[in-house]
Amino acid sequence: MGTPSGKNISMTGSSDQDGSTVNDAPLWRHVVKLDKSPGGGGNRSFRCNFCNIVYNGSYSRVKAHLLKVKGQGIRICPKVDYESLKSLHKEHASSDQKKLVSTSTSSIYESPLPISSHFMQVKKRKTEDEEISPTIFDSAGRDELDKKAAKLFYSSALPFNLARSPYWRDFVASVANSNCKGYSPPSYDQLRFNLLKDEKTRIERMLDKVKSSWDQTGVSILCDGWTDRNQGSLVNFMAVSSNGQFFLKAVDASGKGEDSKFLSQLLAEVINQVGPSRVVQIITDNASVCKAASLSLEAMYPHVFWTPCVVHTLNLGLKNICNPEYSIGNTKRYEVLKWIPDIESDLENIRDFIVSNEYSSSFYNKYGQLRLLKVPETRFATTIVLAKRVKEVKDALMKLVYDIDWEIYSTSDKEKAQIFSTRIKDDSWWGKVDYLIEFTEPIVNMMVIADTNEAILHRVWEMWGLMLEQIQSIIFRNEKKDTLVDNSDFCNTVQSVLVERWDKNDTALLCLAYSLNPKYYSHAWLKGEWGTRQCLAPHQDPEIADKRILCFRRLYDNPYLLRQIQNEYGKFATGSAPFDQMEALQLRDDIDPISWWANFGSGTPLLQSLALRLLSQPASSSCCGRNWKTYSMIYDIKSKSASARSEDLVYVHSNLRLMSHRTEDYTKGPTKFWDIVGEDSDLEGQPELDLANLSLDDPVLEPMMFDEEEDNGMEMLNPIGTSGSFVAGDEETD
């Protein structure tokens, strides 16, 4: 690290002005020496390489600062984490060991002092070191503590993934550096009552600070339900804004999972809890009970819109394509799409044949490194996930069926083995698998982008149009047709399924948010530089215009305000004053839309306020349905604990996890993605497919589920989120 004044320390053993060297004072390596202090002695200014703060003092203060020793007249370094602290102690201990050997040798052969003097020096030095170096870093002591920690994990059946938890690591580091000798951990009752109440209060205070920002940014209420194996229902509610996401509450809905009036009452309670004027939209899945409950609130809260989860909508469309239902009214559609469920059946048979048969499984393991696990019905894009995994292991499957020993395989499954071999050796069949993956890729990509808590409401309409365009391009290229003059029954059928699913949903707010994004009025966008076709500006698109006007009328029932917002929008859409500044026009597609409105929207205050709220909202509720296994675990102990305490446990648990997601350490270091597997895993932290909770927007997390030194063959098949629904199954809105 460089320094504006002074110099970097030498990495050799040369002596510095204060007489110390890097070899006998190794912690100098981790600071930048600046000027000598006017007071003389060993004091000087130095800048810590961890916290980048300048301090004054001798090497003893450098040690105290870096090794987190309190009471030495210097602040302990807040940026030194547990791993760094261990490394620093090793450097310090290694230097002391070298000095001890050197001193011992010189005292025997060279020093004129009596040996007793040497022992006095060693004793003095040992006393000083004990004050600085915690005994936990003693090798024998550390091993003993490691064994005790391991016993805790083994005896309580704790998943190994807990060792990655930032809260666990913070607790251990705090105990190691605490002056509380004789500390005793909290009791059973303290954890259940006082400490739980205190932590809930602390989180509520933090949430109160965030709530104050919702007056400007607005907030979305996410709702999702879940049904356990005993047919008990649970509904949870989350609040999402540009300042992050917070868990609000979970409600036991057993016996009322299909009662829209009950859900409507719960939503009204949450809206009032958050503050009606702050709520922009309610996002749920597409279950009919959710739609009915949300729409019933319009009379009470006309400014609050229901937005169906975009990811869930796309997933239902994908299901309709991959599993078309036969009926007299859609015979043609069924005939066009029926090859896809045939492929899906083949894929499932291949997987089942491998995993359910000991002989074929052993053959597969000889060549394959990735496991073929079952994709549960509650996952998004299940057919495509399975197709991609089978394609990934194609080489292993080919080697299997061409193995000499496989040729002489003859058991009761001989007929299945023959069908299996025929499919694997069939190039035309693999071509269909490739085509299925290829033409559905735009749908999956949009699901990936939309499956986030980030502000994306204003981009959904654009992504929808681009997705349909990409599907058409892929299909026409595969059929060797020209999009300008030819026709494709398959393309028309696929797009009609998606459009039919899309049109069942209320998309008015999507259109308004789209209309307020300055990018869609820019020269580059209108000329097609952002896509493959020229586009209409939102105010020129009749469908967009109709839904925008509908939203304006719902949001502004006062005639004066309605005229004002329409007038302000007209100025924005046409680039009239105050939006006719050259800079405002040039930056429409160059900066974040929220920044654009903050810089150039003050001349239209009503429209600016609305834009800042809508451009801050998500479009998916899928994150709300993840990690249901934890809630199940907590609610399963209701007979042993009060219902209120169970709800507090869910509240505290969920928000602690969400708060850790907003820290930098969540994406790097020893606590990276610490909670991805922790709850839904076995004792070794290895997830089963039907319990894996990976987000669509984090496909990179798949390899994070497994330590490199552990079972590399146990891979996850589904990096594509969850498809939770308010009631059991995947009820659709018809």
Side-chain angles (χ1 to χ4, degrees), residues 227 231 233 253-263 288-290 292 726-728 731:
T227 303
Q231 298 305 306
S233 297
S254 299
K256 302 178 181 179
E258 298 184 31
D259 187 343
S260 62
K261 184 177 180 181
F262 172 73
L263 181 57
S288 57
V289 63
C290 294
F726 183 71
V727 292
E731 183 179 355

Side-chain angles (χ1 to χ4, degrees), residues 443-455:
I443 306 173
V444 175
N445 286 343
M446 183 174 174
M447 293 169 67
V448 169
I449 297 172
D451 186 27
T452 176
N453 296 322
E454 302 299 321

Side-chain angles (χ1 to χ4, degrees), residues 430-449:
W430 283 109
K432 291 180 180 180
V433 173
D434 291 340
Y435 187 35
L436 172 62
I437 295 173
E438 184 182 11
F439 88 80
T440 58
E441 192 69 17
I443 306 173
V444 175
N445 286 343
M446 183 174 174
M447 293 169 67
V448 169
I449 297 172

Side-chain angles (χ1 to χ4, degrees), residues 7 9 14-21 28 33 36 44:
K7 60 182 181 179
I9 63 170
S14 59
S15 176
D16 194 58
Q17 294 176 359
D18 61 3
S20 64
T21 67
W28 280 125
K33 292 183 179 180
K36 293 278 288 186
R44 71 180 312 138

Side-chain angles (χ1 to χ4, degrees), residues 552 555-568 606:
F552 279 159
L555 291 170
Y556 304 97
D557 55 357
N558 183 304
Y560 172 77
L561 293 179
L562 179 60
R563 286 195 299 271
Q564 181 181 342
I565 195 72
Q566 290 173 334
N567 182 51
E568 290 182 355
L606 204 60

Side-chain angles (χ1 to χ4, degrees), residues 498-512:
L498 293 171
V499 171
E500 183 179 294
R501 172 56 57 188
W502 189 261
D503 289 344
K504 288 183 179 181
N505 300 315
D506 185 354
T507 56
L509 199 64
L510 296 175
C511 294
L512 178 57

Side-chain angles (χ1 to χ4, degrees), residues 78-95:
K79 296 295 185 180
V80 173
D81 58 21
Y82 181 73
E83 296 297 330
S84 298
L85 188 61
K86 287 202 298 184
S87 177
L88 291 170
H89 271 283
K90 287 181 180 179
E91 287 187 47
H92 179 59
S94 176
S95 173

Side-chain angles (χ1 to χ4, degrees), residues 346-354 397 420 423-424 429:
D346 290 339
L347 292 168
E348 292 175 347
N349 289 335
I350 288 172
R351 181 209 52 222
D352 292 343
F353 183 74
I354 292 294
L397 295 173
F420 172 84
R423 286 287 180 266
I424 301 303
W429 183 84

